[in-house]
């Protein structure tokens, strides 16, 4: 399972435990699945999530935007590789629509390659 999925599920579970917060969990690839009913149980949440496939981030943001009741008190966190399947214009329009009424957005980019030490190309030896 992707480390980002585990991080997202655990974070959602912690936030759901705060009585003053309303926490939603949406999973998306080509369709959006609302797994909010599972946020209080991270294991149940992880068992419901399928990782992989084509990504339609705009659809996820559109659904998230439909859940917002008080934009100035809203934080939308997107954990994705940000490789949008459909044309990019739809994603940009959804981001604009989300942040225009003052909702705060945070994108956590997930790398599709394993993390490792940064390397630099070897420089030619000087004589």
């Amino acid at each position: 399972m992707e480390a980002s999925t585990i991080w997202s599920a655990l974070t959602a579970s912690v936030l759901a435990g705060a009585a003053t917060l309303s926490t939603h969990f949406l999973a998306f690839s080509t369709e959006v699945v609302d797994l909010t009913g599972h946020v209080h149980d991270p294991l149940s949440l992880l068992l419901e999530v399928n990782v992989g496939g084509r990504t339609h981030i705009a659809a996820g943001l559109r659904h998230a935007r439909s859940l917002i009741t008080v934009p100035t008190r809203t934080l939308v966190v997107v954990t994705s590789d940000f490789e949008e399947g459909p044309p990019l214009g739809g994603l940009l329009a959804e981001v604009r629509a989300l942040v225009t009424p003052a909702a705060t957005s945070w994108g956590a980019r997930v790398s599709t390659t394993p993390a490792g030490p940064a390397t630099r190309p070897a420089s030619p030896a000087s004589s």
Side-chain angles (χ1 to χ4, degrees):
M1 176 159 298
E2 296 277 337
S4 60
T5 304
I6 296 169
W7 178 86
S8 298
L10 292 175
T11 301
S13 292
V14 168
L15 294 175
T20 58
L21 298 178
S22 174
T23 303
H24 297 273
F25 190 97
L26 305 175
F28 57 88
S29 58
T30 56
E31 296 180 22
V32 180
V33 179
D34 191 340
L35 299 172
T36 300
H38 298 279
V39 294
H40 293 285
D41 181 0
L43 180 57
S44 172
L45 185 57
L46 287 171
L47 293 174
E48 294 293 326
V49 175
N50 290 321
V51 178
R54 192 171 157 189
T55 305
H56 194 345
I57 305 166
L61 290 177
R62 188 175 310 111
H63 189 90
R65 196 164 43 92
S66 75
L67 299 172
I68 296 173
T69 55
V70 183
T72 56
R73 296 183 52 149
T74 300
L75 172 64
V76 176
V77 179
V78 178
T79 305
S80 173
D81 61 4
F82 292 100
E83 296 290 332
E84 179 74 338
L88 195 56
L91 173 59
L92 296 176
E94 284 302 321
V95 170
R96 280 188 206 100
L98 184 65
V99 299
T100 297
T104 301
S105 298
W106 180 52
R109 185 181 187 289
V110 178
S111 176
T112 55
T113 58
T119 58
R120 293 186 180 175
S123 59
S126 57
S127 2

